[in-house]
């Protein structure tokens, strides 16, 4: 026998404050309802109007980003963005954060992040075919950071491998600013028929609203609210707010939903992610211009005695809400029964615009759906340039003590966890399932073939928090430009992006200024490079004990290859090839990995970015790849030219190939070797193709410098009167072994 | 040659096998739901990779009770060809069609990577056309692939030529670093006494196209063409 529920608590000012609503917001709630809310209604408003669900601090800035383009089938506003890739197919993709849960409970936090983003993709009617993860941790010299890294990687592996969506790429970086607030951003991409896309809209009065998937428990209540607060010493006590994922159930849910979608009976479908049943129901009604009436007694549960408040706010995983045509209820039950999943009619679509929640006979909540989904206040919060920024930017970098040996400096950079080979991470992920991975993890971009399509897709995630910390506008531009450059190096044309914006507390004017500047920079770069934003996620309040993270936009760039034979990797292909640099090297050491790793300084101005030059360099590189000239192409980024060249020499497995050459010009050696000037790509060509590449670069108005030749047992680079020389085997050992050594992971 | 590819809830390599056997190699290849009670009309059954029933309890431990398994066992006992790859190998061991067990990798981590295999025996139709000692390159992708059996079983498997593949270095030598999961005697694949049931941890279906880096996986099925007419 279910026990009798206790009466709902009274809504007092203290209860309102505990739900994170301000006095003004509470007044707005009363104005909408024209009465005091019930306790359940207060809970519903608090999650829907949380920063996480409502984007109330970020919306005014996000609106400035370009979102339209000839290939864009769906921009922001649905569960994921959709890009027309030709051949009747569409790429559905999105990136999302799970930072807060991953700090409190790394394995389950990361695992449920994977589960959530996968649901966003198949909700649109696409079969998820890959994941990429972008991670940020504190220095690996700290035990806590190693613990979080191990837990997060285990969570992604455990969920992604079992659910059967290969994790094909991503990146990871380390900085003190993430020590108490790691970032876990996961991108998922799926493929759908371009004319068979689904949306999260409740339509057709009287149509049944069906709950499918796992049962509801008390896990994750107020997860969205938690993700909208900063952390303090007591944060670890919130482990119970982190949900536990079941990848097996999610796999069944994918198959059952795709099977149901194929029947043509689905009107609208949405996953229950943050704010669970509340968010899915009111958003579907709001988008559909309809209402939804739910009867909570019909919701499948795995715990007894749950209150309406708890059922509405639960974030139990692996659940979806589906609206189907009236009369299709049996079809739904049959398909979900085959997969041993629950399917229960929990409500109906109405035409009164209300989210009405019944518990047995009584109404426990009745709120205009649109007011919940779209009616949250939008804030243009004060934004102030930090007073400390000038001193950081103006730091004198003109006289740095040179390292004793340039070759050893290069080896140290190659072994640094930010740059070293991440094989020890990605080999824990299945990255080959579905037979699509043409360029495996480790190169600039992962390249996937698409069956039934002559070409393929390239994907890269990027975002340098240190650059954004030192100059958020330039850092925002570079995040977009570098991600685009990476897919260009893979042989693809960048066509659209998804983004995850990770910042601190938006009520701090300095943080808000960083946010606005990063978004402004990203918008300018998107317009210049022709890559609209198709959606993404904003994660604010990433700070613990008042210390915000580096402002960290993560850009997930999608590139399109018209011919899969254009797929290109960063590695030299043999001895005797000519190595060229497209682009120009300037004296720019600010914000570099060299400065951090060898001098312990995170200062200066990040490298400048000329968007016209960036575009020209990328176009030249793509033209060279398409004309068959290019044997390898590699973006120069963290660690500069010397690191980029060394990475070209060292494949993940097999024999490294040496290099010998020089960078002409009068730059000081540290800037030439390790400066991170933007808009540069290292390419190798067969000896007889040199003139053709030079002519092509000239036509594109792009500087093209012959650096040297591949081959031999040594890596030699001369610049600024100094010579960097090291046995390529020693560099390979540094690059391949650096990460495991730093993470204290065993070798086998 | 008709292939039936079993699908358990939680399987995921069945699509890849269907693509390889059907689209790439031109065989007839059909999926078979785990609740099927008969497997008539097939020349060869494939148990694919994945996490059947979530691999809860232990990899393959629940799948052996799936309704289709008695039919699979009868099919094997009558001499039908059965190949289990990855999770399929685990299920064959749990079902008693192959001896031994697959334990958690020695690294305690999942491993997805290319490996080299040395063909040790031609005692099964899948390798009958291959020269012993030939080196094949294929991917693995598993968390529980460390082959284990008692000393007597290992002796018998070796003596009867039933160890079909061992992990090796690119040059064919056996080295600890070429054994990706710590398997006993570097064992990557074994067959039953009759030779018609083969289990291996690597994924031959992932090595069927040059575009993906190797075509060696096709060799196991090319060999069957010569054997079974039609």
């Amino acid at each position: 026998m279910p026990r009798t529920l206790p009466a709902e608590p009274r809504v007092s000012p203290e209860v309102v404050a505990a739900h994170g609503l301000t006095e003004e917001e509470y007044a707005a709630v009363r104005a909408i309802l024209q009465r005091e809310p019930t306790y359940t209604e207060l809970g519903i408003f608090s999650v829907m109007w949380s920063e996480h669900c409502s984007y109330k601090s970020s919306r005014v800035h996000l609106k400035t980003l370009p979102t339209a383009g000839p290939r864009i089938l769906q921009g922001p506003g649905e569960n994921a963005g959709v890009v027309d890739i030709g051949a009747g197919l569409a790429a559905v993709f999105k990136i999302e954060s799970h930072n807060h849960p991953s700090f409190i409970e790394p394995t389950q936090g990361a695992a449920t992040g994977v589960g959530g983003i996968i649901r966003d993709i198949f909700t649109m009617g696409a079969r998820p075919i890959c994941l990429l993860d972008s991670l940020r941790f504190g220095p690996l010299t700290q035990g806590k950071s190693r613990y979080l890294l191990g837990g997060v990687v285990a969570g992604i592996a455990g969920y992604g491998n079992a659910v059967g969506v290969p994790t094909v790429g991503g990146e990871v970086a380390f900085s003190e600013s993430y020590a108490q607030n790691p970032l876990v951003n996961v991108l998922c991409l799926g493929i759908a028929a371009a004319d068979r896309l689904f949306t999260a809209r409740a339509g057709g009065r009287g149509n049944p609203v069906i709950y499918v998937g796992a049962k509801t428990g008390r896990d994750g209540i107020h997860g969205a609210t938690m993700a909208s607060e900063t952390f303090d010493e007591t944060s670890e006590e919130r482990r119970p707010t982190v949900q536990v994922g079941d990848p097996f159930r999610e796999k069944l849910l994918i198959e059952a939903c795709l099977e149901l979608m194929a029947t043509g009976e689905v009107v609208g479908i949405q996953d229950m992610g943050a704010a669970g049943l509340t968010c899915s129901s009111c958003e579907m009604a709001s988008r559909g211009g309809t209402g939804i009436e739910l009867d909570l007694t019909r919701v499948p549960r795995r715990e007894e005695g749950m209150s309406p408040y708890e059922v509405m706010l639960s974030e139990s995983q692996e659940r979806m809400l589906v609206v189907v045509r009236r009369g299709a209820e049996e079809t739904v039950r049959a398909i979900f029964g085959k997969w041993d999943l629950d399917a229960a009619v929990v409500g109906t679509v109405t035409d009164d615009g209300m989210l009405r929640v019944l518990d047995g006979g009584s109404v426990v909540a009745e709120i205009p759906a649109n007011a919940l989904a779209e009616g949250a206040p939008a804030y243009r919060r004060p934004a102030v340039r930090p007073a400390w920024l000038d001193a950081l930017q103006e730091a004198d970098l003109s006289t740095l003590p040179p390292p004793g040996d340039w070759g050893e400096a290069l080896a140290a950079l190659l072994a640094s966890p930010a740059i070293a080979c991440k094989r020890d991470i990605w080999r824990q992920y299945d990255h080959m399932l579905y037979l699509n991975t043409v360029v495996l993890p480790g190169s600039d971009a992962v390249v996937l073939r698409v069956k039934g399509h002559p070409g393929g897709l390239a994907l890269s995630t990027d975002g340098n928090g240190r650059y954004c910390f030192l100059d958020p506008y330039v850092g925002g531009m570079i995040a977009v430009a570098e991600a685009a450059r990476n897919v260009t190096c893979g042989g693809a044309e960048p066509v659209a992006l998804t983004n995850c914006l990770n910042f601190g507390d938006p009520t701090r004017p300095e943080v808000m200024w960083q946010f606005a500047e990063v978004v402004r920079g990203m918008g300018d770069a998107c317009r210049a490079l022709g890559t609209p934003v198709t959606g993404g996620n904003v994660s604010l309040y990433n700070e613990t004990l008042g210390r915000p993270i580096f402002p960290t936009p993560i850009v997930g760039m999608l590139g399109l290859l018209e011919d899969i034979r254009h797929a290109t990797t960063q590695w030299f292909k043999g001895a005797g090839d000519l190595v060229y640099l497209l682009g120009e090297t300037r004296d720019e050491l600010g914000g570099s990995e060299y400065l951090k790793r060898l001098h312990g300084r995170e200062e200066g101005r990040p490298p400048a970015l000329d968007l016209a030059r960036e575009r020209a360099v990328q176009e030249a590189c793509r033209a060279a790849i398409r004309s068959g000239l290019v044997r390898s192409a590699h973006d120069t980024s963290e660690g500069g030219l010397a690191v980029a060249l060394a990475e070209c020499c060292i494949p993940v497995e097999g024999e490294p190939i040496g290099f010998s050459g020089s960078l002409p010009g009068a730059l000081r050696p540290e800037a030439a070797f390790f400066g991170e000037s933007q808009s540069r790509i290292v390419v190798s060509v067969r000896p007889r193709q040199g003139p053709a590449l030079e002519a092509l670069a000239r036509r594109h108005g792009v500087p093209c410098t012959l650096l040297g030749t591949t081959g031999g047992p040594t890596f030699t680079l001369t610049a600024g009167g100094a010579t960097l020389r090291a046995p390529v085997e020693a560099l390979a050992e540094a690059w391949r072994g650096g990460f495991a050594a730093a993470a204290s992971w065993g070798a086998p | 040659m008709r292939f039936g590819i079993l699908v358990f809830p939680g399987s995921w390599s069945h699509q890849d096998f269907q693509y390889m056997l059907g689209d790439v190699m031109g065989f007839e290849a059909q999926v078979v739901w785990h609740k099927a009670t008969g497997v008539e009309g097939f020349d060869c059954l494939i148990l694919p990779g994945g996490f059947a029933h979530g691999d809860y309890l232990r990899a393959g431990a629940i799948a052996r009770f799936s309704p289709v398994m008695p039919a699979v066992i009868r099919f094997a006992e009558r001499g039908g060809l059965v190949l289990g790859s990855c999770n399929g190998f685990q299920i064959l061991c749990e079902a008693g069609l192959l001896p031994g067990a697959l334990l958690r990798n020695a690294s305690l981590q999942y491993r997805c990577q290319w490996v080299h295999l040395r063909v040790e025996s031609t005692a099964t139709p899948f390798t009958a056309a291959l020269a012993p000692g030939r080196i094949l390159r294929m991917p693995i992708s598993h968390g529980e692939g460390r082959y284990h059996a008692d000393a007597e079983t290992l002796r018998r498997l070796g003596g009867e030529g039933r160890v079909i593949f061992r992990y090796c270095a690119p040059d064919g030598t056996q080295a600890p670093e070429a054994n990706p999961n710590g398997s006993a005697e570097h064992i990557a694949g074994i067959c039953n006494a009759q030779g018609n049931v083969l289990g291996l941890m690597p994924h031959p279906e992932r090595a069927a196209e040059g575009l993906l880096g190797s075509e060696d996986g096709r060799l196991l099925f090319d060999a069957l063409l010569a054997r079974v007419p039609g």
Side-chain angles (χ1 to χ4, degrees), chain A residues 161 246 427 430 434 449 748, chain B residues 12 56 111-112 141 206 209:
Chain A
N161 296 342
D246 179 353
R427 69 178 175 173
D430 190 322
Y434 298 138
R449 64 117 165 246
Chain B
W12 36 240
Y56 290 135
R111 283 287 176 266
C112 177
S141 182
R206 296 185 182 189
E209 294 171 89

Side-chain angles (χ1 to χ4, degrees), chain A residues 20-30 49 56 377 379 381:
Chain A
L21 289 176
T22 65
E23 281 178 34
E24 296 74 30
E25 287 167 350
Y26 187 64
V29 168
R30 277 185 312 199
W49 285 14
K56 58 190 168 190
Y379 298 125
R381 296 196 188 274

Side-chain angles (χ1 to χ4, degrees), chain A residues 604-695:
Chain A
R605 286 180 194 280
L609 181 67
D610 175 341
L611 287 167
R613 165 64 58 82
E614 180 72 45
R615 189 182 174 118
V617 166
Q618 291 191 30
E619 282 173 354
C621 180
R622 288 197 299 271
I625 288 173
R626 281 198 292 259
S627 59
L629 294 174
V630 173
R631 299 256 277 166
S632 70
H634 187 23
D635 159 44
T636 68
S637 58
E638 283 90 349
L641 182 63
V643 164
L645 285 165
E647 287 172 341
C648 295
C649 294
I650 311 167
V652 175
E653 287 171 4
E655 292 296 306
I657 295 171
F659 166 81
S660 172
S662 62
L663 180 71
L667 285 179
R668 53 188 173 139
E670 50 266 64
F673 293 147
F674 304 122
E676 297 178 7
S677 288
Q678 294 296 298
S679 315
R680 294 184 300 166
I681 296 174
V682 172
V683 298
S684 67
V685 300
R686 290 187 192 279
R688 60 189 156 77
Q689 306 278 30
L693 182 75
E694 289 173 26

Side-chain angles (χ1 to χ4, degrees), chain B:
Chain B
M1 194 71 198
R2 288 190 75 212
F3 287 87
I5 305 165
L6 301 190
V7 183
F8 301 88
S11 295
W12 36 240
S13 284
H14 54 283
Q15 282 153 311
D16 293 353
F17 266 109
Q18 198 167 23
Y19 185 81
M20 174 215 196
L21 294 169
D23 296 65
V24 177
M25 298 189 72
F27 291 114
E28 204 178 320
Q30 265 179 21
V31 294
V32 179
W33 183 233
H34 80 119
K35 287 181 184 168
T37 48
V39 290
E40 295 80 22
F42 296 111
D43 302 302
C44 177
L45 295 179
I46 305 284
L47 280 73
F51 286 68
H53 300 275
D55 274 352
Y56 290 135
L57 278 182
R58 195 171 65 236
I62 303 176
R64 63 164 288 208
F65 294 108
S66 266
V68 76
M69 286 309 290
V72 173
I73 291 169
R74 281 196 303 276
F75 180 87
E77 283 169 355
R78 289 179 197 148
L81 291 173
V82 178
L83 181 144
S85 156
C86 192
N87 194 215
F89 185 15
Q90 295 162 341
I91 295 169
L92 290 175
C93 289
E94 287 289 334
L97 284 171
L98 291 173
L102 293 145
L103 309 182
R104 186 117 189 254
N105 293 348
S107 63
L108 304 184
Q109 289 181 345
Y110 198 93
R111 283 287 176 266
C112 177
Q113 63 191 64
W114 286 92
V115 296
H116 291 88
L117 304 174
R118 197 175 65 200
V119 178
E120 298 288 308
S121 162
T122 55
T124 169
F126 295 99
T127 56
L130 298 178
R134 178 157 181 177
I135 311 300
L136 308 181
R137 190 166 168 269
M138 288 181 208
I140 57 163
S141 182
H142 59 248
E144 298 175 31
R146 176 159 58 101
Y147 185 73
H148 175 83
D150 58 49
E152 170 54 26
T153 305
L154 289 174
R155 220 175 3 255
R156 209 172 58 238
L157 286 173
E160 296 171 4
R162 290 165 56 195
V163 174
I164 306 300
F165 301 112
R166 288 187 211 273
Y167 300 107
C168 66
D171 64 1
T173 55
Q174 273 173 25
E177 55 274 17
N179 182 347
N181 50 28
S183 284
E185 300 182 358
H186 299 245
I187 289 173
I190 57 170
C191 71
N192 63 348
Q194 294 71 36
N196 61 317
V197 178
L198 171 68
L200 75 167
M201 285 315 293
H203 286 265
E205 81 284 7
R206 296 185 182 189
E209 294 171 89
L211 181 66
L212 303 178
S214 170
E215 299 188 11
D216 290 350
R218 300 174 56 152
L219 297 172
L220 306 191
F221 301 95
D222 282 337
L224 299 184
L225 266 186
R227 179 179 173 272
V228 183

Side-chain angles (χ1 to χ4, degrees), chain A residues 28-38 41 45 354 366-368:
Chain A
V29 168
R30 277 185 312 199
I32 288 164
L33 296 175
Q34 309 212 325
R35 58 177 165 80
E36 299 288 327
T38 65
E41 287 172 334
F45 269 105
M354 302 299 279
E366 189 169 25
I367 308 170

Side-chain angles (χ1 to χ4, degrees), chain A residues 491-743:
Chain A
E493 180 180 355
V495 292
L497 65 89
T498 179
N499 67 102
C500 193
L501 304 174
N502 307 275
F503 289 77
D505 178 349
T507 63
R508 280 174 201 276
E510 288 84 2
V511 169
M512 210 55 231
W513 180 80
Q514 292 173 328
F515 185 87
E517 286 291 286
V518 163
V519 171
R520 188 168 70 87
M522 289 175 62
D524 284 350
C526 287
R527 280 180 287 272
L529 300 176
T531 54
V533 176
T534 62
N537 165 236
V538 177
S539 174
L540 301 176
Y541 297 97
N542 287 290
E543 53 181 83
T544 298
L545 296 172
R547 282 195 310 275
I549 58 163
F550 279 168
T552 311
I554 300 295
V555 171
M557 184 66 75
L558 175 67
L560 191 55
L561 291 88
E562 58 194 28
D563 184 335
I564 195 64
R565 289 170 300 183
H566 295 156
T568 304
T569 70
Q570 68 187 32
W571 294 291
F572 292 149
K573 299 299 182 292
D577 283 351
L578 300 180
V579 180
Y580 282 88
L581 179 67
L582 300 177
E584 203 177 354
T585 308
R586 292 181 291 262
D587 190 327
E588 294 176 307
L589 276 172
S592 65
E593 191 67 22
Y594 170 78
L595 206 55
K596 181 192 175 191
R597 177 73 21 192
L598 279 93
H599 298 278
R601 295 168 68 178
E602 298 188 286
E603 299 175 331
R605 286 180 194 280
L609 181 67
D610 175 341
L611 287 167
R613 165 64 58 82
E614 180 72 45
R615 189 182 174 118
V617 166
Q618 291 191 30
E619 282 173 354
C621 180
R622 288 197 299 271
I625 288 173
R626 281 198 292 259
S627 59
L629 294 174
V630 173
R631 299 256 277 166
S632 70
H634 187 23
D635 159 44
T636 68
S637 58
E638 283 90 349
L641 182 63
V643 164
L645 285 165
E647 287 172 341
C648 295
C649 294
I650 311 167
V652 175
E653 287 171 4
E655 292 296 306
I657 295 171
F659 166 81
S660 172
S662 62
L663 180 71
L667 285 179
R668 53 188 173 139
E670 50 266 64
F673 293 147
F674 304 122
E676 297 178 7
S677 288
Q678 294 296 298
S679 315
R680 294 184 300 166
I681 296 174
V682 172
V683 298
S684 67
V685 300
R686 290 187 192 279
R688 60 189 156 77
Q689 306 278 30
L693 182 75
E694 289 173 26
L696 185 149
R698 228 175 0 256
R699 283 200 301 281
H700 283 84
V702 168
C704 178
T705 311
L706 177 62
L707 295 175
T709 337
T710 62
T714 311
F715 180 94
T716 311
L717 181 63
T718 306
T723 296
L724 185 164
R725 185 177 288 114
V728 71
E729 272 295 349
L731 298 179
E733 202 171 302
W735 185 70
R736 289 172 179 167
F739 187 79

Side-chain angles (χ1 to χ4, degrees), chain A residues 27-59:
Chain A
V29 168
R30 277 185 312 199
I32 288 164
L33 296 175
Q34 309 212 325
R35 58 177 165 80
E36 299 288 327
T38 65
Y39 183 66
T40 300
E41 287 172 334
L42 178 68
I44 289 173
F45 269 105
S46 82
V47 290
M48 287 310 297
W49 285 14
S50 69
E51 187 68 57
H52 186 79
C53 289
S54 74
Y55 296 87
K56 58 190 168 190
S57 304
S58 58
R59 251 190 290 168

